[in-house]
Amino acid sequence: RQAEFAQLRDVPAVTLDGQRITVLTNAGLAVDLENMVETGAEGIGLFRTEFQFMVSDELPRLDAQTALYKLVLDAAGDKPVTFRTLDIGGDKVLPYLESEREENPALGRRAIRLGLDRPSLLRMQLRALLTAGAGRELRVMFPMIATVDEFRAARELVDIECEWAKRRGRPLPALLRVGAMIECPSLLWHLDALLPLTDFVSIGTNDLFQYMYAADRTNPLVSDRYDPLSPPALRALQTIQKACADTGTPVSICGELAGRPLEAFALITLGFTRLSAPAGGVGPVKRMILSADLKAAKRGMANLLNLSTGSVRNELQSLARKLNI
Ligand code: PEP
Ligand code: MG
C-alpha cells in the first residue's frame, strides 16, 4: 500500500470524468513539512499555528513566530500555505497565559474570541505572518468565527497591521488572502453576509459537527454518537458548498474527515474540489479520486441526502462499491 501511494505522489488527482481535485495536507510543526513533500500534497490547507505555542514554555516571541512562518513558506515554495491564527483557550490552556477557569471550555473563550479580547496577542501573530509573507502570497484564516462582526473585527486587525508595516516602509505580501473557518453552525444561516467579506473559507468539520450534534469531540462517551455521514451533516456541507459556488468563494474542507476515503468520496460528490487531509490520508484519498466517476456518484448521492436515517454510511459504501471505487 505504502509503495502504491508513493507512486501516486506526483500524479494529479483527477476523477475518471475529468474533475481536478486539489489535495492539501494539514500541518502544525516544522516536521510536518517533510510529510507534505513525501505524500505529494499540493500545499498546506491548514497550518495550526498554536502548536508552536503549545510546545513552548513561554510565549513565543515575535522573531520566533516570524522564523517559523518563514521556514514553512520557504519549504512550501510555490505551494500554497494557509495559516490559521491561534486556536487556543478552552481546553488548550497555555501555562504562561493568564486564563480563567471555564465550565464549558469548548463553548468558552477560545480561538478568535481570545484573539479579539487580547488583540496584542493576535496583532503580534499577524505582524509575524506579514513579515514572513513579505513579497509573496500570504493566506491567513481565523478559527471559530461565530458571527460576521467577529470576522470584520479580525480582518480590521490585519488592516491595522498592514498600515503599521507600510508606515515603516516594510515590504508587504505580494498577495494577501484572508479567510474564515466555518466551524460554528451559526454561520450556516449567515453565509450571504459572511462570504462577501472573505477571500476564502475552510470548513472545520471536527468542530462544526461537534457543535451541530452537541457532542464533545474529546469525550469518548459522546463523540461517536453521530455519524458525519448523516443527512444533516452532509446537507450542512452541501449548503456551504452551494453558497460558495454561487458567490465564487473558494472553499476547502480541513477536518479529519477529508482524509478518510469514503468520507472524502462523499465530499467530492457534494462538489467540493479542495480537501486538506492529515498526512496519512493524502495517498488513500488521492487513490479514491483517481477511481471515481463523479457524475454517476452525484446521481446516487442525491437520494442518500433524503433518507430518514442517522447514517448513510452503508448506502454510500454500496454506491462506492457499485462504482468500483
Ligand atoms: C476542525 O475543527 O475541523 C479543524 C480543522 O480545526 P481543529 O481540529 O484544529 O479544531
Ligand atoms: Mg476546529
Side-chain angles (χ1 to χ4, degrees), residues 254-320:
C254 62
E256 305 300 308
L257 109 176
R260 298 198 285 266
L262 187 64
E263 280 82 344
F265 169 61
L267 299 178
I268 64 169
T269 303
L270 287 173
F272 290 98
T273 57
R274 277 178 91 79
L275 307 179
S276 191
V282 172
V285 165
K286 234 174 163 180
R287 193 176 63 136
M288 176 280 294
I289 293 167
L290 289 165
S291 64
D293 175 347
L294 217 47
K295 285 204 190 81
K298 278 184 178 161
R299 282 193 295 273
M301 178 65 116
N303 301 325
L304 301 193
L305 293 183
N306 291 325
L307 292 181
S308 56
T309 55
S311 169
V312 296
R313 182 169 297 273
N314 292 338
E315 291 81 356
L316 204 64
Q317 222 140 30
S318 306
L319 178 64

Side-chain angles (χ1 to χ4, degrees), residues 160-214:
I160 290 173
E161 277 306 317
C162 283
E163 277 306 312
W164 186 92
K166 237 189 269 171
R167 275 203 308 277
R168 280 159 187 76
R170 298 196 180 175
L172 286 169
L175 190 68
L176 177 59
R177 296 264 182 255
V178 183
M181 283 192 77
I182 299 188
E183 305 184 276
C184 297
S186 55
L187 291 181
L188 263 83
W189 293 274
H190 223 182
L191 292 168
D192 55 336
L194 176 76
L195 299 184
L197 303 175
T198 62
D199 298 321
F200 66 92
V201 292
S202 190
I203 310 174
T205 46
N206 305 335
D207 277 314
L208 181 63
F209 296 154
Q210 148 168 270
Y211 296 124
M212 271 179 60
Y213 279 94

Side-chain angles (χ1 to χ4, degrees), residues 1-324:
R1 273 290 162 88
Q2 284 319 105
E4 183 195 352
F5 296 146
Q7 274 185 355
L8 296 181
R9 207 175 70 170
D10 301 317
V11 178
V14 183
T15 63
L16 286 180
D17 49 342
Q19 175 64 55
R20 178 79 166 84
I21 307 287
T22 304
V23 184
L24 307 150
T25 190
N26 298 342
L29 292 171
V31 292
D32 294 330
L33 298 167
E34 279 166 37
N35 293 333
M36 179 185 70
V37 177
E38 261 166 38
T39 59
E42 297 174 74
I44 297 174
L46 166 66
F47 189 87
R48 293 181 163 106
T49 60
E50 63 274 9
F51 283 18
Q52 184 188 28
F53 288 66
M54 290 163 71
V55 299
S56 173
D57 300 330
E58 51 179 19
L59 188 73
R61 294 156 54 109
L62 179 67
D63 50 359
Q65 293 184 42
T66 310
L68 174 65
Y69 306 151
K70 262 200 185 124
L71 185 86
V72 173
L73 288 169
D74 287 344
D78 290 338
K79 296 179 174 177
V81 179
T82 300
F83 291 97
R84 187 223 359 235
T85 62
L86 270 187
D87 187 359
I88 47 167
D91 56 343
K92 288 184 216 157
V93 178
L94 301 178
Y96 49 84
L97 265 196
E98 254 179 69
S99 62
E100 279 159 51
R101 219 191 80 78
E102 296 180 299
E103 283 292 332
N104 295 299
L107 303 179
R109 190 166 65 166
R110 54 173 290 206
I112 195 63
R113 300 169 179 181
L114 183 71
L116 292 175
D117 281 3
R118 309 244 336 230
S120 56
L121 196 67
L122 183 53
R123 279 189 61 179
M124 174 156 76
Q125 181 171 40
L126 292 171
R127 192 170 296 181
L129 286 165
L130 289 168
T131 307
R136 43 190 166 187
E137 178 177 346
L138 179 68
R139 300 168 56 85
V140 178
M141 68 180 176
F142 299 112
M144 288 294 299
I145 295 285
T147 71
V148 288
D149 292 334
E150 283 174 345
F151 184 77
R152 275 198 197 92
R155 190 158 194 158
E156 209 172 286
L157 292 181
V158 178
D159 294 340
I160 290 173
E161 277 306 317
C162 283
E163 277 306 312
W164 186 92
K166 237 189 269 171
R167 275 203 308 277
R168 280 159 187 76
R170 298 196 180 175
L172 286 169
L175 190 68
L176 177 59
R177 296 264 182 255
V178 183
M181 283 192 77
I182 299 188
E183 305 184 276
C184 297
S186 55
L187 291 181
L188 263 83
W189 293 274
H190 223 182
L191 292 168
D192 55 336
L194 176 76
L195 299 184
L197 303 175
T198 62
D199 298 321
F200 66 92
V201 292
S202 190
I203 310 174
T205 46
N206 305 335
D207 277 314
L208 181 63
F209 296 154
Q210 148 168 270
Y211 296 124
M212 271 179 60
Y213 279 94
D216 183 348
R217 63 191 263 198
T218 66
N219 178 348
L221 293 176
V222 298
S223 58
D224 287 340
R225 291 186 92 89
Y226 69 89
D227 190 341
L229 292 179
S230 64
L234 295 173
R235 283 188 200 174
L237 297 178
Q238 186 185 45
T239 299
I240 301 170
Q241 197 280 329
K242 282 191 171 153
C244 289
D246 287 349
T247 52
T249 309
V251 55
S252 63
I253 300 206
C254 62
E256 305 300 308
L257 109 176
R260 298 198 285 266
L262 187 64
E263 280 82 344
F265 169 61
L267 299 178
I268 64 169
T269 303
L270 287 173
F272 290 98
T273 57
R274 277 178 91 79
L275 307 179
S276 191
V282 172
V285 165
K286 234 174 163 180
R287 193 176 63 136
M288 176 280 294
I289 293 167
L290 289 165
S291 64
D293 175 347
L294 217 47
K295 285 204 190 81
K298 278 184 178 161
R299 282 193 295 273
M301 178 65 116
N303 301 325
L304 301 193
L305 293 183
N306 291 325
L307 292 181
S308 56
T309 55
S311 169
V312 296
R313 182 169 297 273
N314 292 338
E315 291 81 356
L316 204 64
Q317 222 140 30
S318 306
L319 178 64
R321 234 177 266 129
K322 203 170 89 191
L323 298 174
N324 291 320

